[in-house]
Amino acid sequence: MFKGAGVAIVTPFKNGKFDKDGYERLIDFQIENGTQALIVLGTTGEASTLSYEEREEVIRTAIEKNAKRIPIIVGTGSNCTDVAVKYTKQAEELGADGILIVTPYYNKCTNKGMIAHFTAVANATKLPVILYNVPGRTAVNIPPDVVVAMSKVENVIGVKEASGNISQILEIKRLVPEDFMIYSGNDDQVIPIYACGGHGVISVASNVIPKEMQHMCEAFMNGDVEEALRLQLKYKRFIDLLFCEVNPIPVKAALVEMNYIENELRLPLTPMEEINRNKLAEEMRKLNII
């Protein structure tokens, strides 16, 4: 699908509704600054709070504004397999280039159920499928043997790994085919996961610093590990602050500081606490982001 930095793009709201103009501004900002893919309606996009009709509007806006400049990958996961299949078919019909499927959450499942769920969704589409492992959100980890089983499904082409478990990622790399993509799901682990044989990052920080995140990835891919590590360390505190409250609360606050969007989230998420927002803005000023 892509190598380098793809953005897990926020979904802006204005007066309680999807802010199409704000979204189009963000998409142009991303593409103009080297982002390699748009990951639409993921965790950062507050997908779980959007209706089916709103999802269609968001996907359609992204596809039309992008105009085939970079790949668009749509988050279509759900804890209900039938719903995930419905969302996946919607994304394919609207013209998405790939899909991202999160592990079923809340009701959870066994490894057997996980494989059955992912397989059912993959079989419902011709699009490339990326698995999404984020146990901090779902309370379920995708173990290496499940990733290996899914790598044998023709259109399952990779995994977004946000477990933070480097040993697990190494084991996945050891077992999967060479062309199976491994993307970091954690902005503070881009270089460590590259060192484990990874292929890039699906990034929250790229909403704010797309050029810098792509530069970090390109430096590593071009063999300049020292420069890649310098950038990883330079933005470490900023990345930490982006996750000092539940994502996407801080990243939306950062984009407000940059005058791109309104400071609106869907309940149960609420705007960033003032003390944390001040810390984030201070760090952004130090880095000359604002």
Side-chain angles (χ1 to χ4, degrees), residues 16 22 36 40 42 68-69 71 73 77 88 110 125 127 139 142 150 156 198 213 237 253 256 258 272 288 290:
Q36 297 298 294
V40 173
K68 299 187 181 298
R69 288 179 283 179
I73 301 164
T88 298
T110 63
T125 181
L127 295 178
I142 308 178
M150 293 312 304
V156 177
M213 292 301 293
R237 174 163 169 73
V256 170
M258 298 169 74
M272 196 173 190
N288 295 315
I290 55 174

Side-chain angles (χ1 to χ4, degrees), residues 17-247:
K17 297 181 179 181
F18 170 56
D19 179 6
K20 181 177 179 180
D21 291 341
Y23 203 49
E24 290 180 340
R25 285 195 299 272
L26 292 176
I27 290 169
D28 277 339
F29 172 61
Q30 289 299 317
I31 296 172
E32 289 165 5
N33 284 278
T35 291
Q36 297 298 294
L38 296 173
I39 293 79
V40 173
L41 294 177
T43 304
T44 312
E46 296 175 78
S48 59
T49 66
L50 272 67
S51 68
Y52 184 84
E53 291 74 23
E54 287 176 316
R55 291 177 62 91
E56 178 172 341
E57 185 179 7
V58 171
I59 297 167
R60 191 182 298 279
T61 299
I63 288 170
E64 290 177 355
K65 185 63 178 177
N66 176 58
K68 299 187 181 298
R69 288 179 283 179
I70 58 176
I72 289 183
I73 301 164
V74 178
T76 61
S78 171
N79 64 332
C80 172
T81 305
D82 286 346
V83 172
V85 167
K86 180 181 178 181
Y87 287 164
T88 298
K89 290 180 176 179
Q90 177 192 45
E92 183 170 20
E93 288 168 2
L94 290 171
D97 298 298
I99 62 167
L100 180 73
I101 317 175
V102 73
T103 317
Y105 45 86
Y106 186 71
N107 46 0
K108 304 166 73 172
C109 56
T110 63
N111 290 353
K112 182 179 178 180
M114 208 182 304
I115 291 169
H117 172 84
F118 288 141
T119 301
V121 177
N123 287 345
T125 181
K126 295 179 181 178
L127 295 178
V129 174
I130 300 172
L131 310 178
Y132 179 16
N133 188 32
V134 58
R137 291 272 188 170
T138 64
V140 181
N141 178 57
I142 308 178
D145 57 342
V146 170
V147 178
V148 172
M150 293 312 304
S151 72
K152 297 174 183 177
V153 177
E154 184 177 2
N155 60 330
V156 177
I157 57 104
V159 61
K160 175 185 177 184
E161 246 294 347
S163 68
N165 187 336
I166 295 297
S167 295
Q168 173 168 284
I169 294 165
L170 276 170
E171 182 67 0
I172 290 170
K173 182 63 180 178
R174 186 179 74 85
L175 296 171
V176 295
E178 186 63 31
D179 61 352
F180 190 81
M181 309 298 286
I182 300 175
Y183 296 110
S184 175
N186 294 327
D187 285 307
D188 62 350
Q189 292 187 333
V190 180
I191 302 311
I193 289 178
Y194 262 125
C196 294
H199 301 88
V201 59
I202 294 177
S203 171
V204 175
S206 282
N207 279 280
V208 181
I209 49 169
K211 185 181 294 184
E212 294 80 359
M213 292 301 293
Q214 181 58 20
H215 182 191
M216 183 194 304
C217 293
E218 287 178 352
F220 192 96
M221 289 187 288
N222 292 332
D224 192 349
V225 178
E226 184 176 348
E227 172 65 2
L229 180 58
R230 183 188 72 80
L231 290 167
Q232 181 81 89
L233 296 176
K234 177 180 179 179
Y235 292 102
K236 174 66 165 59
R237 174 163 169 73
F238 171 65
I239 289 166
D240 289 345
L241 288 167
L242 285 183
F243 294 92
C244 71
E245 293 186 28
V246 175
N247 178 47

